[in-house]
Amino acid sequence: MKILAIETSCDETACSVVENGTKVLTNTIASQVDIHAKTGGVVPEVAAREHVLKMLPVLDQCLEDCACNWDDIDALAITKGPGLVSSLIIGTETASVISYVKNKPLIPVQHIVGHLYSNWLGIEDEIQFPVLILTVSGGHNELVLMRDHFDFEVLGETRDDASGEAFDKVARMLGLGYPGGPAISKLAESGDKTRFPLPRVMLEKDSLDFSFSGLKTAVLTLIKKNEGNIDEQFKADMAASFQEAVIEVLGDKLFRAFKKYPEIKELHLAGGVSANTRLREYIKENLPEGAVFRHPQSIRYCTDNAAMIACAAYFQYQKDPSKYKAKTNVIPSTSFSISSS
Ligand code: KG4
Ligand code: ZN
């Protein structure tokens, strides 16, 4: 079964065709990073206007890249939220119209569920349940126990900022570019991660929740204290110290959850922050004996993409195919229930 997915929840216009949930035939993404770098973050109206311009060219490119035509596509999938409403609507309305005109079933997928499925992309072996997934992004930060397909339990989540958001904000404080995660991780390579002893907030003894706002404040306090003396080495050492503080908390919470649920067979990392090589390294270095660890096979499956939406849609469809039909009308605003959170 070939599913064509569209994802426009934030600042990437993305389309992908995935066969039977795991075989990625194409993963086409038009990034808006250069536009949002000028403003140091995503301006929703600007992102939405870019989606309008890019949506149809990206769709055409996607079909061309996998040498498919509409007759080859069995169903459509679309990110229904959470995300920026003005961005989501471009994707959902496009998918609705195609579903109606081409008479294809339409599968709405929750964005975070898409990230949870990113480790299925490109694999040839079988993932063994139960799986514990640490999904870490700019917009969310969760530990999820997945006992089977579409059987999720959220074990922990952030009480304030998501880790990706903390990366972005600290990068801004240090005058680095947008997005902050890649900028901090690059600069951290030349920094001393032990120079600034920043807090590792583990919360209560048994808690699987996260909190990163105190760490952010600690970085800001040190920056203010050193005003006038901030050179390149200070920035690199701060990037490395901050990164290590985030990573230790993320990794140790993953291990804490694994200890609590000994039936877990695999540990997965997902979301934009899972692209961080030091995070992957830390988890591998401290991995409990016998644990299977996976992260997305490509960096392009970590950050927002449509392949993960097509993958999740495939398993969602398998649960009950009768639930998904082609659209019979395309009246805007009644055709979808979009959620921003
Ligand atoms: O999953 P994603 O593309 O969008 C959301 O759903 O939020 O994640 C984007 C986030 C940003 O906060 C970005 O700074 C972070 O992922 N990120 C990273 C790295 N690459 C992207 N954080 C740390 N290290 C990276 N290499
Ligand atoms: Zn995302």
Side-chain angles (χ1 to χ4, degrees):
M1 180 183 193
K2 288 192 183 105
I3 297 181
L4 184 146
I6 296 175
E7 145 71 44
T8 60
S9 65
C10 189
D11 60 340
E12 321 274 11
T13 317
C15 293
S16 172
V17 177
V18 176
E19 192 168 6
N20 297 333
T22 59
K23 191 172 173 198
V24 183
L25 303 184
T26 175
N27 187 31
T28 314
I29 303 176
S31 170
Q32 303 178 6
V33 143
D34 293 346
I35 293 165
H36 301 300
K38 289 180 200 146
T39 42
V42 178
V43 177
E45 285 73 16
V46 175
R49 258 177 257 142
E50 275 303 299
H51 285 308
V52 172
L53 294 174
K54 297 282 166 56
M55 190 72 263
L56 295 180
V58 169
L59 252 177
D60 285 344
Q61 186 68 50
C62 172
L63 288 169
E64 196 183 315
D65 287 351
C66 63
C68 286
N69 60 47
W70 285 110
D71 293 337
D72 302 319
I73 304 299
D74 300 296
L76 293 159
I78 179 68
T79 304
K80 63 173 181 177
L84 302 173
V85 172
S86 49
S87 288
L88 286 163
I89 206 161
I90 312 302
T92 53
E93 292 305 319
T94 306
S96 295
V97 171
I98 300 170
S99 165
Y100 174 65
V101 173
K102 302 287 182 190
N103 195 29
K104 309 275 178 199
L106 182 53
I107 310 162
V109 174
Q110 215 263 17
H111 180 80
I112 300 167
V113 171
H115 278 298
L116 296 178
Y117 271 95
S118 56
N119 281 288
W120 268 260
L121 294 169
I123 58 161
E124 284 179 359
D125 58 337
E126 280 276 313
I127 286 178
Q128 303 298 316
F129 291 109
V131 175
L132 175 66
I133 309 170
L134 173 65
T135 179
V136 277
S137 233
H140 65 271
N141 200 108
E142 279 153 2
L143 261 172
V144 177
L145 180 60
M146 191 174 168
R147 292 197 170 86
D148 200 348
H149 287 297
F150 281 83
D151 178 354
F152 308 114
E153 185 186 343
V154 178
L155 303 179
E157 60 197 335
T158 183
R159 294 186 186 170
D160 38 57
D161 292 351
S163 50
E165 195 181 347
F167 267 97
D168 293 336
K169 287 181 178 160
V170 167
R172 213 177 173 147
M173 291 175 204
L174 292 173
L176 307 175
Y178 168 85
I184 290 209
S185 91
K186 186 154 195 323
L187 190 59
E189 285 169 18
S190 54
D192 173 4
K193 62 180 191 287
T194 62
R195 176 165 166 194
F196 300 107
L198 293 166
R200 271 74 169 150
V201 180
M202 292 299 283
L203 301 170
E204 305 81 30
K205 200 169 157 277
D206 274 347
S207 174
L208 296 175
D209 282 344
F210 302 85
S211 169
F212 293 106
S213 66
L215 172 60
K216 219 178 53 190
T217 309
V219 173
L220 186 62
T221 307
L222 281 167
I223 290 175
K224 282 196 173 149
K225 219 167 124 185
N226 287 278
E227 235 159 22
N229 294 314
I230 295 180
D231 57 11
E232 286 312 303
Q233 197 54 53
F234 177 98
K235 287 186 183 181
D237 293 345
M238 184 57 84
S241 303
F242 162 77
Q243 176 175 264
E244 203 62 14
V246 174
I247 277 163
E248 277 185 25
V249 170
L250 292 177
D252 292 350
K253 288 272 172 171
L254 181 73
F255 300 140
R256 186 182 272 189
F258 183 54
K259 239 186 179 168
K260 217 166 163 176
Y261 296 86
E263 69 271 28
I264 288 164
K265 298 253 174 48
E266 299 197 9
L267 303 178
H268 293 185
L269 199 54
V273 181
S274 71
N276 188 287
T277 42
R278 177 67 197 126
L279 174 59
R280 293 172 177 199
E281 201 178 85
Y282 182 81
I283 293 172
K284 282 182 199 155
E285 278 167 4
N286 297 285
L287 199 64
E289 230 185 272
V292 173
F293 170 57
R294 293 182 204 249
H295 53 70
Q297 292 204 346
S298 158
I299 296 286
R300 299 193 98 194
Y301 304 155
C302 297
T303 45
D304 290 347
N305 66 89
M308 67 185 194
I309 302 300
C311 171
Y314 172 78
F315 292 105
Q316 190 173 319
Y317 183 85
Q318 298 305 316
K319 284 246 143 185
D320 186 359
S322 69
K323 266 172 107 173
Y324 306 101
K325 306 264 188 272
K327 286 293 208 190
T328 52
N329 66 57
V330 284
I331 303 165
S333 80
T334 56
S335 45
F336 255 100
S337 95
I338 291 174
S339 62
S340 62
S341 56

